[in-house]
Amino acid sequence: MIAHRIVSTVPFSGQKPGTSGLRKKVTVFQQPHYLENFIQAIFDSLEDSARQTLVVGGDGRFFNRPAVQVILKMAAANGFERCLVGQGGILSTPAASCVIRKYHAFGGLVLSASHNPGGPQEDFGIKYNIGNGGPAPEKVTDAIYTRTGVIDSYRILAAPDVDIDSLGQRILGDMTVEVIDSVRDYVTLMQNLFDFNRIRDFFRSGFRMRFDAMHAVTGPYARAILEEMLGAPVGTVMNAIPLEDFGGHHPDPNLVHACDLVQTLHGPDAPDFGAASDGDGDRNMILGRMSFVTPSDSLAVIAANAHLIPGYAEGLAGVARSMPTSSAVDRVALKKGIRVHETPTGWKFFGNLLDSGAVTLCGEESFGTGSNHVREKDGVWAVLMWLNILAVRRKSVAEILRIHWRGYGRNYYSRHDYEGIDSAAADAMMTHLRATVPGLADRRLGSFTVACGDDFCYTDPVDGSVSSRQGVRVLFTDGSRIVFRLSGTGTEGATLRVYVEKYEPDHTRHDQNTQETLAELVQLANTLAEIRERTGRTQPSVVT
Ligand code: G1P
Ligand code: ZN
């Protein structure tokens, strides 16, 4: 029998959940009724969810397990017919997307704070994904947020905890809980896309790689695929055991936080290939021996070589990149005669393009790459893309990059972040840029000539929705660019992101130092935005 416990909720003091859902400190989620309030607000905002299937899983960070129990009991009390739960409460973000799609679920709850640290004093998060497997669009997240402000009770089944560690079905009230293998469906999807035999032969021939799972969710996925199925030696996957606190590190695959991997690839016995993924498995970093592939270049190389991979042998319908991502992929699209869509920052903008079949591949400069196989960016998928390309071409990562640049030219690219600056100063700076940048057209600035300047505005070609003020751009006649935008994910003050790109067609100049090559544009960016005067900062806090 179902007992609906009606409890008064604490007022929801959370800030508006962003596209990546609600992210807060664990201690905030642990407040009485806080988690329940948010979950009930989600359930209340869904239309026709009765008798439907819900997918539940997370990246295994601290609070993942108790949160799964609450969600299951609430789903049962809210009329869901079936819940598919990853074993132990584990599903990577791309695996959750895969499972939602495969079993035609109504939606899913993904528990993660992505690349942010985990642990009792660290971060937790909840995101709702819709039936296409992708992040809920703004109208859904807005409805959830509105609901959190007025909700005064929630429905939860009074029942003991469900066993989520052994596979199989159990009954919870009127609902079936099905504990599924966390990796199996995802692995099957990867098998359908990639040439596993060829990659297996490649490993057998002595090719060596290191995958850094950063003690986060991709450990079990990478071990199953790389070590068990593709025959890579045990130990290929490092930091493979998921830990609730990620071993105390930031599970963020970049040159700073994955420094052990970077050192390994620069060491005396360096393997041929290196890769890492983040807390919930959607980001990726690609390294070669002594080389780093920028995410923008990675997207371009993947697009140029996708036809070598079984799942993409028929070619690409089109590609999409977020506006600040370098235009390296545009040059590939031009050569292939396919369209490139330039979208605002954030994976949700790719959803309609993927659903409508307009694009096959998409990516962002922030270590996100993916395709139409799911509706999230996918770290392990990106690694398999590279592995399959390397297995076919039998060249080093550095050689593949060099050959790519020779054919398409090189887009030198860097992002400079100014974190924790004063919000009012940041807003005033953007206002100043919006007012001045359009007037720069045809002006000569140092050795560059401005073609035009604007504030990026996107009209979704599928539903016609308009997203304005997505970043101020200065476009130069030689294909170089400076882009300014404020981060939408920061927690303290404002973060200014300055994206700088210089196109170099001359292949004799492809071995230059990136920051030196971009120095004049960086200087120009500082002058145009008056960064020092307005923020007091003379240096960015992070350079990627
Ligand atoms: C950042 C990245 C963006 C990514 C988002 C969520 O957003 O720049 O590409 O989609 O995180 O992972 P931002 O802080 O720049 O708004
Ligand atoms: Zn992530």
Side-chain angles (χ1 to χ4, degrees):
M1 208 175 92
I2 301 182
H4 287 171
R5 185 149 55 102
I6 310 295
V7 188
S8 241
T9 64
V10 282
F12 187 81
S13 58
Q15 75 193 47
K16 188 171 170 159
T19 53
S20 37
L22 182 68
R23 278 189 204 161
K24 292 280 164 199
K25 292 284 174 213
V26 166
T27 47
V28 174
F29 274 103
Q30 283 169 329
Q31 295 174 87
H33 316 309
Y34 187 95
L35 170 69
E36 291 86 344
N37 180 337
F38 189 59
I39 300 297
Q40 188 65 51
I42 294 174
F43 290 162
D44 286 352
S45 310
L46 305 179
E47 282 161 26
D48 305 322
S49 64
R51 316 309 315 153
Q52 297 278 2
T53 298
L54 183 73
V55 172
V56 183
D59 65 8
R61 68 179 60 224
F62 187 83
F63 202 56
N64 194 105
R65 293 178 67 91
V68 167
Q69 294 295 344
V70 168
I71 290 168
L72 292 177
K73 291 171 198 174
M74 290 187 65
N78 277 275
F80 281 93
E81 183 162 281
R82 188 165 73 131
C83 252
L84 301 177
V85 191
Q87 191 173 16
I90 299 288
L91 281 175
S92 76
T93 289
S97 187
C98 159
V99 169
I100 292 169
R101 294 168 67 78
K102 181 166 178 173
Y103 297 100
H104 307 288
F106 187 79
L109 287 167
V110 186
L111 314 179
S112 171
S114 191
H115 50 284
N116 297 303
Q121 303 303 323
E122 300 295 352
D123 297 335
F124 189 73
I126 299 187
K127 183 168 80 155
Y128 179 70
N129 280 25
I130 57 175
N132 75 350
E138 219 151 84
K139 69 175 201 309
V140 178
T141 52
D142 282 351
I144 295 169
Y145 175 62
T146 307
R147 185 71 195 143
T148 58
V150 294
I151 189 169
D152 61 5
S153 65
Y154 58 84
R155 294 148 72 84
I156 189 163
L157 192 71
D161 281 0
V162 183
D163 168 15
I164 55 169
D165 293 305
S166 48
L167 297 178
Q169 287 195 359
R170 31 228 69 131
I171 299 298
L172 185 63
D174 285 342
M175 189 179 82
T176 309
V177 175
E178 199 170 326
V179 179
I180 59 169
D181 187 306
S182 308
V183 303
R184 198 195 53 215
D185 295 307
Y186 180 80
V187 168
T188 305
L189 178 59
M190 295 301 116
Q191 274 180 303
N192 291 335
L193 295 173
F194 299 105
D195 190 344
F196 273 36
N197 289 333
R198 192 147 192 170
I199 303 174
R200 204 176 297 119
D201 287 345
F202 193 39
F203 276 119
R204 209 175 287 139
S205 74
F207 175 83
R208 289 188 307 140
M209 81 169 282
R210 275 283 179 292
F211 179 93
D212 189 350
M214 307 190 85
H215 286 305
V217 79
T218 51
Y221 296 85
R223 268 200 169 156
I225 295 172
L226 299 174
E227 297 181 1
E228 287 164 31
M229 303 182 72
L230 296 172
V234 171
T236 295
V237 182
M238 54 194 267
N239 302 320
I241 312 280
L243 298 175
E244 286 198 326
D245 67 350
F246 309 119
H249 300 294
H250 282 244
D252 196 0
N254 58 34
L255 296 172
V256 176
H257 292 302
C259 56
D260 289 352
L261 176 73
V262 174
Q263 267 172 17
T264 307
L265 270 293
H266 282 77
D269 188 33
D272 306 284
F273 179 50
S277 189
D278 73 330
D280 61 328
D282 58 357
R283 294 187 174 196
N284 76 90
M285 177 171 71
I286 301 294
L287 301 167
R289 190 180 290 147
M290 309 285 282
S291 52
F292 163 65
V293 186
T294 70
S296 296
D297 277 344
S298 177
L299 177 63
V301 168
I302 287 174
N305 292 280
H307 60 279
L308 303 175
I309 291 163
Y312 305 89
E314 285 171 14
L316 306 175
V319 291
R321 62 165 173 85
S322 68
M323 181 273 283
T325 302
S326 101
S327 44
V329 73
D330 301 29
R331 304 196 175 267
V332 177
L334 191 68
K335 223 174 217 182
K336 287 193 182 286
I338 56 174
R339 263 202 78 178
V340 46
H341 296 262
E342 192 174 23
T343 59
T345 295
W347 204 260
K348 65 172 180 176
F349 290 101
F350 297 134
N352 279 344
L353 294 170
L354 292 165
D355 282 349
S356 69
V359 310
T360 311
L361 289 181
C362 43
E364 294 193 276
E365 48 69 39
S366 51
F367 296 88
T369 331
S371 89
N372 58 357
H373 69 289
V374 290
R375 292 295 179 274
E376 292 277 6
K377 55 196 172 212
D378 189 344
V380 170
W381 169 90
V383 174
L384 288 169
M385 254 348 230
W386 269 90
L387 255 183
N388 204 150
I389 291 167
L390 293 167
V392 173
R393 295 192 53 186
R394 305 263 168 160
K395 297 202 168 17
S396 73
V397 171
E399 279 171 314
I400 292 209
L401 271 181
R402 218 170 296 125
I403 295 165
H404 184 89
W405 294 334
R406 198 178 268 269
Y408 297 97
R410 177 170 180 185
N411 292 72
Y412 282 95
Y413 183 83
S414 183
R415 184 176 104 181
H416 290 206
D417 295 331
Y418 296 80
E419 293 174 340
I421 58 175
D422 180 70
S423 292
D427 290 340
M429 180 193 297
M430 293 308 290
T431 304
H432 161 74
L433 285 167
R434 283 189 189 105
T436 52
V437 155
L440 296 174
D442 303 324
R443 281 263 300 277
R444 185 134 190 103
L445 299 176
S447 46
F448 297 89
T449 304
V450 178
C452 61
D454 66 3
D455 190 352
F456 182 61
C457 179
Y458 178 68
T459 305
D460 187 300
V462 179
D463 65 18
S465 59
V466 176
S467 306
S468 58
R469 293 157 73 101
Q470 296 294 321
V472 172
R473 319 187 276 182
V474 185
L475 308 171
F476 298 95
T477 50
D478 69 341
S480 299
R481 290 193 310 171
I482 303 172
V483 175
F484 303 90
R485 63 177 281 278
L486 299 182
S487 158
T489 60
T491 44
E492 275 163 63
T495 294
L496 169 70
R497 303 205 196 282
V498 183
Y499 310 81
V500 189
E501 174 178 358
K502 184 173 190 287
Y503 180 60
E504 179 53 77
D506 179 355
H507 72 87
T508 64
R509 298 161 67 94
H510 283 170
D511 284 324
Q512 301 175 90
N513 174 287
T514 297
Q515 296 305 326
E516 281 169 18
T517 306
L518 297 174
E520 189 186 348
L521 285 167
V522 169
Q523 189 51 50
L524 271 176
N526 281 304
T527 310
L528 291 175
E530 302 172 349
I531 295 175
R532 182 184 308 195
E533 294 79 351
R534 290 171 180 277
T535 68
R537 301 286 176 87
T538 53
Q539 294 291 329
S541 11
V542 183
V543 173
T544 345

